Amino acid sequence: MQGTIIENLSGKKLSVLVSLLVIGQIICFLIGGLIAPTPASSQNILGTQCEDIRVNGSEPGGGKWFYSRGKGACSSVNKGNFDLDDHYLAHQVVYAFQMPIPRNNRQLDYSRWQQNLIGVLQVDIMYHSQMEIVPETRITLDARLAYRNKGDPDYAWKPYAASIEERSLDCTIDLKTDDYIYNCSVVPLFELGSLFHDYYLLNVRLPADTDRNINQGLGHVTDLWLTVINQNGGFTKVWVSLKTIFFPIIVCVLAWYWRRVHMLSRSPALLEYMLLVLGSALTFLNMPLEYLTLAYDMPFMLLLGDIRQGVFYANLLSFWLIFAGEHLMIQDSEQRNSLKCYWRHLSAVGVGCLSLFVFDMCERGIQLRNPFYSIWVTDIGTKLALSFIILAGISAGVYLMFLTYMIWKVFTNISIKRATLPSMSAARRLHYEGVIYRFKFLMIATLLCATLTVVGFILGQMAEGQWKWDEDLELEVTSAFFTGVYGMWNNYILALLVLYAPSHKQWPIETSDSIGEEIEFSRLPTDPNEMLSLTAFAGKTAVE
Amino acid sequence: MACKNWVLVLLGVSLAAAASTRSGTWINVGLQGIRQLEAMRTTELYEVGASPLCANLNGLSPGQGRLCQLYQDHMAGVARGARAGIAECQHQFRDRRWNCSTVEDGTVFGPVLGIASRETAFVHAMAAAGVVYSVSRACRDGQLSSCGCSRSGRPRDLNREWIWGGCGDNLEYGYKFTQGFVDVRERERSYKRGSREQGRSLMNLHNNEAGRRAVVKKSKVTCKCHGVSGSCSLITCWQQLASFREVGDYLLDKYDGATEVRVNRRGRLSIRDPRFTLPTANDLVYLEDSPNFCLRNLSMGSLGTQGRVCNRTSAGMDGCNLLCCGRGYNTQKTIVRERCECKFHWCCFVECKTCVKSVDVHTCK
């Protein structure tokens, strides 16, 4: 590899650059912590038990929607817990969830800035000593989702999705006392990848069928609660602003970097290609596509977001491998500088990312067609999903082994070279010192970034884990974590692109091809003071 | 129609009663108020101008009356909560000498609440808990539009575009509203420092808080991971209400372990017996010992236990020995039909067999 900027940069310039990046990093962190709200918030909605008065036998479905607020609201079955002796039939009770629920005397409506909506259902089942339920029951839900926009009349709900879903319900109870509520697991119900409309309405029926044993072991269901989780609009705004700032910066730096590589007479080295690909992946991640969701209905955004992150991290992981490989300082390996010799290492990354991708396609891809779909509800689906995740985990393990092995090898090589450094000629020494410096710099930067990510993640989890009741936390830890990590990897790539770009201090030397031969000829340079040929030699060996 | 007339009569009665006594309690919202509310709903008088409920309801203090006018839409929730509190009290005390019996006037429980006893402490806590529970539920139902966070942290509301940040927890709203509504009557009047009245006021405040906290304490936190590919890099949590029975059981525990306190000269509550540990905000406190409720004494609100059914084999409070205060009991053989071997059918009905049993019923002499 050609000598890079970082080797030729004076300490002063380097420190200025690094401190600029650190300042940028701190700003990113503070933006998340002080300006942005928490990434997501939730609303807990109690289902209104609407009465479907249509005559027995009329199929649920059609254009009839049940809602609890506004003109034409349904008549509810009973205000409190309905009596066990009310002779309603199962299809006559419709649980209506009208979202969002009003807050602070305002009729809220979903904003497109909120990006996505996740619905989670909780079933309150009352314990009765005479009718205990088995710990794992199946619950069948007839769920239908409708939407309405501002300005539409109150009754104008338009169907969005409908599905009959079966979910498993794990219910336990610590203290078997009458009228206590079972502790049931939450049931993931739907995921909307875009929040395009203003109001949504969910109608849930619990159909009963004695012949096919549907919902027979359900016990005394008192309430259904729906928790809808949406991304906060403010967070999206901050997030998209960050992207809008980083996107052009990275594109410019990338263009500058590539121009620089092209100015070299030789064809670009593998590592330079890798950096370019990495930069492109980051650009893909940075692209503020979220603006489009404000105008168009793009339900695939959740999936696309996952893919973008996946592509970026796959490239980052591959880059680390190849970077370590290219700094092994083994002169004789002619095959270096091509992707082929890394196929074993890269396949670990590939398999891991591919299995995660397949898993994500199975979950979120199918959700594009049916937002109620979940891979986890069937046994086969759960096994499949688990196997994909385990496969990804194994690949991650293999990858880590490869990476640590390579880094360990580089370090042993470094210590060997260190020992022989004083006896080397000045040119070789400069070359190796450059390689060692480059490698160590990247190692430190990477370790720092990875550690910060992990520490931030753990801190964020801890802050979320303990539910704050009345303590007002000034810093939004989770948001700060997200913007901080996002800014950090941007800064990291930015620094790599700038510092590991080929240094122009050498490229005039390589304008003609004959020089390469000359240097090949003077393998052991006779004139150590000839600085130009020395550095050129260093460049030559690096190319090898 | 007959129902409406009955309400009118009742309104008249309560008006007359309001003029004569001030010893009523706001819990009356759950007893007489709820009937008025239901009557109003059927006649669609609800939401028209000044609610007659607030003006006519016996038992509200002036401050509570104003809050009632201000938050008319909350009153149905308050009423339901108070009623749930009364019902839960009656369930919890079904086997005790005092069985939380109500009377038809503004005092709800009769003169019992006049004594600063454990029972009074429990009733206040239970009613406050009922309101927290019910208002939170009404928020989650979407029927109350003013719910939200009154947290005065970051001024989120200033930026209407800052879409829905901050907390959306309605349990906190229920807690805050109840604090305002229930506690206001204790703060309206100033008492002489260290006086009995002041002690009573402090005791009520403490027990109201304990009741409110009981709901919060019994609620569970549930979380959902929803990061990239459903990973836990993003996690959202919310409070899930327990059943009100659980809250009642919890408060009954607190009733059994209530601490006797007295008011000192500085106007603070201090424990009477220094050997006991200090009560926390979750514990109940009382100032006076309870009457034994064995004999009928209407001036104290005691109906007596004569004629109550007791359990001969039980060693607890429902045992004939304790419940009948040693007066002995009569035994009568009766044939009881009861539901048994029930099978629940979703939705909404229970199929039971009727079992006929011959049992001995013991009643206190």
Side-chain angles (χ1 to χ4, degrees):
Chain A
M1 190 182 169
Q2 180 72 23
T4 57
I5 286 182
I6 184 168
E7 292 156 59
N8 299 319
L9 213 59
S10 68
K12 204 172 149 193
K13 279 184 187 163
L14 187 68
S15 61
V16 167
L17 192 78
V18 167
S19 49
L20 271 180
L21 290 177
V22 167
I23 289 171
Q25 176 59 44
I26 291 171
I27 289 174
C28 279
F29 184 80
L30 288 183
I31 283 176
L34 297 177
I35 299 176
T38 46
S41 53
S42 64
Q43 279 199 325
N44 199 335
I45 305 173
L46 173 62
T48 308
Q49 292 156 349
C50 287
E51 191 184 354
D52 187 355
I53 46 169
R54 287 177 297 172
V55 280
N56 191 3
S58 67
E59 272 299 298
K64 176 81 176 145
W65 293 98
F66 295 88
Y67 49 97
S68 51
R69 293 187 302 281
K71 225 179 194 173
C74 71
S75 62
S76 68
V77 170
N78 199 329
K79 268 311 196 190
N81 297 334
F82 44 178
D83 272 328
L84 289 175
D85 294 321
D86 290 342
H87 273 265
Y88 285 105
L89 291 169
H91 72 268
Q92 289 180 319
V93 180
V94 183
Y95 287 89
F97 303 91
Q98 200 175 343
M99 29 196 156
I101 48 175
R103 193 197 288 178
N104 294 334
N105 283 320
R106 257 181 17 225
Q107 175 56 55
L108 296 177
D109 59 281
Y110 284 119
S111 152
R112 287 177 190 172
W113 283 106
Q114 285 168 329
Q115 301 286 306
N116 51 50
L117 194 70
I118 298 165
V120 178
L121 203 67
Q122 263 178 315
V123 187
D124 273 0
I125 299 177
M126 204 171 251
Y127 177 85
H128 292 287
S129 54
Q130 288 188 321
M131 39 189 186
E132 289 189 25
I133 63 169
V134 288
E136 190 166 325
T137 35
R138 306 293 292 178
I139 182 170
T140 305
L141 302 157
D142 174 4
R144 299 189 300 142
L145 199 62
Y147 69 90
R148 188 165 73 81
N149 283 313
K150 260 187 196 166
D152 290 352
D154 283 352
Y155 56 82
W157 294 98
K158 295 167 203 66
Y160 188 86
S163 180
I164 293 181
E165 292 289 324
E166 204 184 35
R167 299 277 198 265
S168 75
L169 202 60
D170 295 323
C171 293
T172 53
I173 190 159
D174 303 329
L175 219 64
K176 288 194 172 177
T177 320
D178 269 8
D179 291 352
Y180 273 37
I181 288 174
Y182 279 98
N183 207 346
C184 290
S185 56
V186 292
V187 179
L189 191 62
F190 64 84
E191 267 188 64
L192 297 183
S194 77
L195 206 49
F196 190 69
H197 304 288
D198 290 329
Y199 310 105
Y200 287 85
L201 173 72
L202 177 73
N203 276 359
V204 174
R205 283 183 179 84
L206 301 174
D209 193 330
T210 32
D211 300 335
R212 285 183 292 159
N213 197 22
I214 291 176
N215 284 344
Q216 290 305 300
L218 215 50
H220 181 197
V221 176
T222 52
D223 286 310
L224 290 190
W225 301 85
L226 178 77
T227 304
V228 278
I229 302 168
N230 59 277
Q231 191 167 316
N232 277 333
F235 180 77
T236 315
K237 284 184 178 174
V238 169
W239 191 245
V240 174
S241 327
L242 274 183
K243 284 187 162 189
T244 321
I245 294 167
F246 275 121
F247 179 65
I249 294 178
I250 298 287
V251 166
C252 290
V253 172
L254 203 61
W256 169 84
Y257 169 79
W258 197 235
R259 202 180 67 93
R260 223 162 156 133
V261 171
H262 260 284
M263 281 162 89
L264 299 172
S265 56
R266 61 176 171 81
S267 59
L270 173 64
L271 209 49
E272 284 159 352
Y273 274 124
M274 273 318 286
L275 254 180
L276 181 78
V277 171
L278 185 59
S280 311
L282 183 66
T283 313
F284 181 47
L285 181 69
N286 279 344
M287 218 182 285
L289 287 177
E290 282 81 356
Y291 285 122
L292 292 179
T293 60
L294 301 182
Y296 306 102
D297 190 7
M298 294 163 75
F300 50 84
M301 277 305 281
L302 269 180
L303 183 63
L304 189 66
D306 287 354
I307 291 175
R308 291 205 282 181
Q309 289 226 359
V311 166
F312 171 68
Y313 282 110
N315 274 304
L316 189 64
L317 297 179
S318 317
F319 172 78
W320 284 338
L321 264 184
I322 289 171
F323 187 87
E326 295 291 298
H327 284 77
L328 276 178
M329 295 181 288
I330 302 168
Q331 301 293 323
D332 51 8
S333 59
E334 286 292 315
Q335 286 160 336
R336 298 273 153 200
N337 208 5
S338 85
L339 271 182
K340 275 184 209 135
C341 54
Y342 292 105
W343 69 270
R344 265 167 300 157
H345 314 73
L346 290 183
S347 58
V349 179
V351 167
C353 289
L354 210 67
S355 54
L356 277 184
F357 174 71
V358 171
F359 163 70
D360 217 53
M361 279 303 282
C362 288
E363 174 92 358
R364 290 195 162 153
I366 298 178
Q367 272 170 5
L368 291 180
R369 312 212 76 185
N370 174 15
F372 296 107
Y373 178 83
S374 172
I375 195 172
W376 296 101
V377 294
T378 57
D379 280 341
I380 300 172
T382 309
K383 277 180 191 143
L384 205 69
L386 273 180
S387 52
F388 280 131
I389 288 172
I390 289 170
L391 195 63
I394 291 172
S395 331
V398 170
Y399 169 81
L400 271 180
M401 258 164 48
F402 271 130
L403 190 67
T404 36
Y405 172 69
M406 276 179 126
I407 290 173
W408 172 75
K409 229 171 152 189
V410 172
F411 270 112
T412 47
N413 277 351
I414 284 179
S415 57
I416 291 169
K417 286 274 154 30
R418 270 263 171 79
T420 54
L421 266 185
S423 62
M424 277 183 197
S425 66
R428 285 180 77 102
R429 200 171 66 221
L430 267 180
H431 162 61
Y432 283 121
E433 275 176 346
V435 169
I436 291 168
Y437 180 52
R438 283 204 302 256
F439 184 77
K440 287 211 161 157
F441 187 83
L442 187 97
M443 273 301 286
I444 289 169
T446 308
L447 269 182
L448 197 73
C449 287
T451 320
L452 280 178
T453 307
V454 171
V455 167
F457 181 75
I458 291 168
L459 278 183
Q461 294 283 307
M462 265 158 50
E464 289 286 353
Q466 43 186 248
W467 181 258
K468 296 263 188 323
W469 173 242
D470 46 8
E471 204 174 315
D472 193 37
L473 199 66
E474 274 302 317
L475 205 67
E476 288 295 349
V477 184
T478 327
S479 297
F481 166 69
F482 275 99
T483 54
V485 166
Y486 179 70
M488 190 172 68
W489 290 113
N490 263 295
N491 284 336
Y492 177 81
I493 305 290
L494 195 79
L496 284 191
L497 284 176
V498 170
L499 294 176
Y500 287 75
S503 170
H504 65 75
K505 279 186 182 153
Q506 287 131 45
W507 58 259
I509 301 302
E510 293 208 324
T511 40
S512 77
D513 286 345
S514 57
I515 285 183
E517 282 167 7
E518 261 181 48
I519 288 153
E520 195 78 326
F521 175 71
S522 55
R523 184 115 198 158
L524 291 163
T526 44
D527 191 358
N529 296 324
E530 176 69 61
M531 200 57 204
L532 282 177
S533 71
L534 285 179
T535 42
F537 170 72
K540 180 63 192 152
T541 41
V543 170
E544 282 175 34
Chain B
M1 202 59 210
C3 175
K4 230 192 285 179
N5 280 336
W6 182 77
V7 170
L8 283 177
V9 170
L10 201 130
L11 286 182
V13 168
S14 45
L15 269 176
S20 61
T21 65
R22 208 211 85 84
S23 56
T25 167
W26 66 271
I27 304 170
N28 194 24
V29 178
L31 199 66
Q32 295 178 343
I34 205 148
R35 291 180 203 136
Q36 296 178 32
L37 274 169
E38 272 158 17
M40 266 184 264
R41 182 159 297 153
T42 53
T43 54
E44 304 212 347
L45 265 169
Y46 194 47
E47 304 222 35
V48 183
S51 167
L53 169 77
C54 307
N56 294 336
L57 192 71
N58 180 16
L60 293 185
S61 76
Q64 284 176 327
R66 277 195 297 280
L67 282 173
C68 174
Q69 294 286 3
L70 210 59
Y71 293 98
Q72 284 181 36
D73 53 342
H74 287 54
M75 290 318 287
V78 174
R80 270 201 299 278
R83 187 179 61 176
I86 297 169
E88 188 58 34
C89 172
Q90 287 174 346
H91 171 83
Q92 295 294 345
F93 280 80
R94 65 196 182 283
D95 295 332
R96 304 211 176 208
R97 287 176 190 166
W98 180 69
N99 60 356
C100 213
S101 51
T102 54
V103 292
E104 286 294 329
D105 66 18
T107 60
V108 182
F109 298 99
V112 174
L113 291 198
I115 311 163
S117 61
R118 278 170 193 259
E119 283 74 25
T120 310
F122 180 79
V123 165
H124 276 105
M126 207 66 242
V131 177
V132 175
Y133 194 83
S134 171
V135 169
S136 303
R137 248 182 100 93
C139 282
R140 293 171 185 210
D141 209 356
Q143 304 298 337
L144 294 184
S145 60
S146 58
C147 299
C149 253
S150 50
R151 191 187 282 206
S152 58
R154 284 190 270 181
R156 279 276 156 62
D157 293 343
L158 289 181
N159 190 352
R160 284 187 68 124
E161 291 296 305
W162 218 243
I163 309 136
W164 301 14
C167 81
D169 195 62
N170 294 313
L171 187 50
E172 186 172 349
Y173 181 82
Y175 174 90
K176 290 243 168 83
F177 175 80
T178 311
Q179 194 172 34
F181 184 81
V182 176
D183 285 358
V184 70
R185 66 183 295 130
E186 310 297 342
R187 303 192 195 277
E188 276 168 356
R189 288 196 295 174
S190 52
Y191 304 98
K192 192 171 155 286
R193 193 176 283 179
S195 68
R196 193 189 159 278
E197 287 77 26
Q198 198 221 2
R200 181 61 205 269
S201 169
L202 287 175
M203 167 188 150
N204 287 351
L205 285 175
H206 186 100
N207 295 325
N208 291 343
E209 176 67 21
R212 288 192 295 269
R213 286 188 179 219
V215 180
V216 178
K217 185 128 184 135
K218 280 283 130 188
S219 72
K220 288 188 281 282
V221 176
T222 314
C223 296
K224 158 92 179 152
C225 295
H226 55 101
V228 179
S229 304
S231 67
C232 269
S233 60
L234 254 180
I235 185 167
T236 299
C237 298
W238 61 91
Q239 300 264 1
Q240 188 190 354
L241 289 172
S243 76
F244 198 56
R245 175 58 36 83
E246 250 172 282
V247 178
D249 286 353
Y250 175 78
L251 280 176
L252 188 71
D253 264 5
K254 295 291 177 195
Y255 165 87
D256 287 330
T259 318
E260 189 174 7
V261 292
R262 62 189 167 86
V263 63
N264 60 21
R265 260 166 297 160
R266 280 177 296 150
R268 298 275 181 82
L269 293 179
S270 57
I271 39 175
R272 185 149 284 185
D273 190 337
R275 280 175 303 174
F276 293 120
T277 49
L278 273 175
T280 64
N282 295 316
D283 293 319
L284 298 181
V285 298
Y286 63 98
L287 292 167
E288 300 165 16
D289 281 325
S290 312
N292 62 17
F293 296 109
C294 279
L295 297 172
R296 191 177 177 84
N297 181 353
L298 286 182
S299 69
M300 268 199 322
S302 166
L303 293 175
T305 59
Q306 196 185 359
R308 291 273 302 277
V309 176
C310 61
N311 183 353
R312 199 168 58 91
T313 51
S314 164
M317 275 312 292
D318 61 335
C320 287
N321 208 6
L322 282 172
L323 190 68
C324 304
C325 308
R327 295 187 308 261
Y329 53 90
N330 300 319
T331 306
Q332 205 178 357
K333 237 181 182 37
T334 39
I335 288 170
V336 183
R337 291 169 177 277
E338 59 179 24
R339 301 198 297 184
C340 59
E341 290 175 43
C342 292
K343 193 169 177 343
F344 180 77
H345 290 276
W346 176 258
C347 141
C348 324
F349 68 92
V350 186
E351 204 175 48
C352 294
K353 287 182 180 156
T354 311
C355 299
V356 182
K357 279 199 293 191
S358 163
V359 287
D360 293 331
V361 173
H362 313 286
T363 45
C364 291
K365 278 182 185 166

